[in-house]
Amino acid sequence: CNSFEDVLSCARIIRQKLTGLLSSLEMLDDPAADTLRDNLKINVPISKHPFYVLVEISGSDSEYNEKKLNECLSLLMERNHVNDGTIATELSRIKAVWSVRERITEALLQEGCGYKYDISLPLTDFYKIVEVMRERLGPRVTRCVAYGHLGDGNLHFNATTRTFDPEVLALIEPFIYEYTSERKGSISAEHGIGYKKTKYLHFNKTQEAINLMKSMKALMDPQGILNPYKVLP
C-alpha cells in the first residue's frame, strides 16, 4: 500500500469480503521491512512499498478459500488500494510470508538498544503515533518502526539506538502513554502491565478503579505474595 489510508481501506474491504474466513489481519511499515532486509537478509516477497498488509484465512475448502482470496486481492488492486500482492498456498511459501511479520523483533535486536511499546488505538489514530514519534525523536534514534494487528487495533511501536539513551527514553515516556490515553486506547494491548508500567496505570484506570483493585488485592492476598510488584502501583 502507498499510504496508511489505503491500509485502512484494505482492512475494511477484507473484513467485508472474507467474513467467516479471516483469521489474521496484520500490517507492517517499510522501515520494519527494512530491518529484515538489512539485518536478516529477508526480503518481502512483493515490491517495495510504504506499507504491507498480511492476511490469513482458514476454512475447510481450500479451493473456495483461494478463490475468495484472489477475488479480494483483485478488488483491492482494481480500486488502487494495493499495488502488488502475492498469495501463498504451499506450506513453505506460507512460512516464508509469515517470517516477514514474525522475525521483525529478531531483526530489531541487531540494532543495539530497543524501546518497545505495545499499545492499542482506534484504527483512525493507529499510525499517527508513529509519525508523531518519528518527528519527536528525529536523528536521536536509528529507526522508528511499526507493525501490528489491524484486527484488534494492537500496535507494536519500536525505536532503536546503538546504546541506551536516557534522553530518548524521556522523550518517549510518558508521552506515548499520554497520547494513547487521550485517544481512548490502551497502554498495554497484549503484554500486560507487569512491573514496568505500574506507574502509568492511571492513564487507563481511574483512581477509584485502582483503589478498588488494591482493596481486592489486599483482601485476597494480604501478605502480597501472589505475583508481587506487578500491575498495581
Side-chain angles (χ1 to χ4, degrees), residues 65-80:
N65 293 349
E66 188 173 352
K67 174 177 175 289
K68 295 296 289 184
L69 204 52
N70 273 300
E71 288 175 354
C72 187
L73 179 58
S74 296
L75 178 61
L76 293 172
M77 297 184 78
E78 179 184 312
R79 296 187 180 180
N80 295 317

Side-chain angles (χ1 to χ4, degrees), residues 30-31 36 56 69 101 110 128 147 154 184 199 214:
D30 198 50
L36 295 165
E56 184 176 68
L69 204 52
R101 166 64 178 82
Q110 312 298 317
K128 290 176 184 176
Y147 57 97
N154 176 202
K184 309 301 181 185
K199 62 183 176 182
K214 285 182 175 180

Side-chain angles (χ1 to χ4, degrees), residues 9-22 25 55 57 64-76 78-79:
S9 296
C10 284
R12 184 172 59 254
I13 292 171
I14 287 165
R15 285 195 182 96
Q16 291 171 351
K17 298 300 180 182
L18 300 177
T19 300
L21 296 173
L22 188 63
L25 180 55
V55 179
I57 61 174
Y64 176 77
N65 293 349
E66 188 173 352
K67 174 177 175 289
K68 295 296 289 184
L69 204 52
N70 273 300
E71 288 175 354
C72 187
L73 179 58
S74 296
L75 178 61
L76 293 172
E78 179 184 312
R79 296 187 180 180

Side-chain angles (χ1 to χ4, degrees), residues 40-116:
L40 300 181
K41 309 307 177 189
I42 294 175
N43 287 315
V44 176
I46 57 175
S47 56
K48 188 176 174 67
H49 284 84
F51 295 94
Y52 307 91
V53 176
L54 191 155
V55 179
E56 184 176 68
I57 61 174
S58 57
S60 58
D61 188 334
S62 59
E63 288 187 9
Y64 176 77
N65 293 349
E66 188 173 352
K67 174 177 175 289
K68 295 296 289 184
L69 204 52
N70 273 300
E71 288 175 354
C72 187
L73 179 58
S74 296
L75 178 61
L76 293 172
M77 297 184 78
E78 179 184 312
R79 296 187 180 180
N80 295 317
H81 297 313
V82 168
N83 302 101
D84 193 7
T86 186
I87 293 178
T89 55
E90 298 175 359
L91 185 59
S92 59
R93 287 270 295 154
I94 292 171
K95 287 182 177 179
V97 171
W98 268 109
S99 70
V100 171
R101 166 64 178 82
E102 292 177 340
R103 297 188 68 184
I104 296 172
T105 298
E106 179 186 349
L108 287 166
L109 289 173
Q110 312 298 317
E111 302 276 309
C113 180
Y115 309 80
K116 302 167 65 68

